[in-house]
Amino acid sequence: MKINACWLTTTLLLSSTTFAAPHWGYAGAEGPEHWASLTPEFAACSGHNQSPVDIKGTIKSALAPLTLHYQTGAAALVNNGHTIQVDYAPGSTLTLDGQAFTLKQFHFHAPSENLIQGRHYPLEAHLVHASEQGALLVLAVMFEVGAGNPLLTTAWRQIPTQSGTTATLTRPLDVRALLPRNLDYYRFNGSLTTPPCSEGVRWLVLKHPVTASQAQIDAFKAVMHHPNNRPAQPLGARTILE
């Protein structure tokens, strides 16, 4: 069974019970428009606070600067059939609202799931964090085509091409190589972008993109064999702060 990165994180951190998740995907009868009907456990996929979103109509706010305490810790690449997930060793945190969130893993979507002013980016990274209480926070980074990203240069040398396989990195990587220098961000409440689409997730989307080469983006897409982005969801009554 193909298990998605975000779904697995949520199951381990938030759920008191486990269930055999049905197969889901990004097209056809198992595509995003059908997720909520695949099983009762995916009912939240039809909720009113879903992610991703189109970031527009933002409200100016005095958002606190991000406090990151990241260290080298990426140790393994996992191809779970829905994305390439990079598992991260304990010890790296992001502090928000006076609460520490530990980086658990990061993974990728091509094209981007979130949009900024109606614009898709060719690649988006999601850094998935969890607090000790099980609350989730996702820090999203957009990629434009340009110079190659040094982390991807190293990681993609060992990218697992088969679904359900894992590659242990020959040396640990530092997630800070994915981040822009300017950490200004948008903030909104949302959900996981994959089943079970659990809501109550804090979303932080960095305003400034970083670059990846076209070859790096193409290498990821070749392994996935299909776009792995959920369409933007209605914002509804939510606000997006910047």
Side-chain angles (χ1 to χ4, degrees), residues 159-240:
I159 193 169
T161 59
Q162 297 298 317
S163 175
T165 59
T166 299
T168 300
L169 292 167
T170 54
R171 62 182 180 88
L173 302 178
D174 191 334
V175 71
R176 286 172 291 189
L178 290 181
L179 303 179
R181 291 184 179 180
N182 188 321
L183 297 178
D184 290 346
Y185 61 97
Y186 304 102
R187 177 176 179 173
F188 59 93
N189 292 324
S191 72
L192 300 178
T193 65
T194 57
C197 308
S198 307
E199 296 185 340
V201 179
R202 293 172 173 89
W203 274 88
L204 310 177
V205 178
L206 295 180
K207 292 183 176 182
H208 298 277
V210 294
T211 62
S213 69
Q214 187 64 59
Q216 290 175 331
I217 295 169
D218 289 344
F220 173 78
K221 291 164 68 175
V223 170
M224 288 293 96
H225 304 297
H226 55 75
N228 69 332
N229 64 313
R230 184 189 194 190
Q233 302 297 297
L235 188 62
R238 289 176 288 171
T239 57
I240 301 175

Side-chain angles (χ1 to χ4, degrees), residues 7 23-25 35 37 77 85 91 97 101 122 135 153 158 202 211 229 234 237 240:
W7 179 85
H23 185 267
W24 56 269
W35 287 349
S37 61
L77 301 176
Q85 172 181 312
D97 302 333
F101 294 82
T153 297
Q158 296 182 250
R202 293 172 173 89
T211 62
N229 64 313
I240 301 175

Side-chain angles (χ1 to χ4, degrees), residues 61-69 94-99 139 181-185 187 204 206 242:
S61 179
L63 294 177
L66 294 183
T67 303
L68 306 179
H69 298 287
L94 182 158
T95 301
L96 185 74
D97 302 333
Q99 189 174 14
L139 178 65
R181 291 184 179 180
N182 188 321
L183 297 178
D184 290 346
Y185 61 97
R187 177 176 179 173
L204 310 177
L206 295 180
E242 67 167 310

Side-chain angles (χ1 to χ4, degrees), residues 15-37:
S15 298
S16 58
T17 60
T18 58
F19 62 94
H23 185 267
W24 56 269
Y26 287 97
E30 299 171 337
E33 65 271 28
H34 302 294
W35 287 349
S37 61

Side-chain angles (χ1 to χ4, degrees), residues 96-119:
L96 185 74
D97 302 333
Q99 189 174 14
F101 294 82
T102 297
L103 177 62
K104 299 294 184 178
Q105 49 97 341
F106 59 90
H107 61 270
F108 301 88
H109 296 272
S112 69
E113 295 201 299
N114 292 291
L115 292 78
I116 299 179
Q117 299 296 333
R119 177 189 176 188

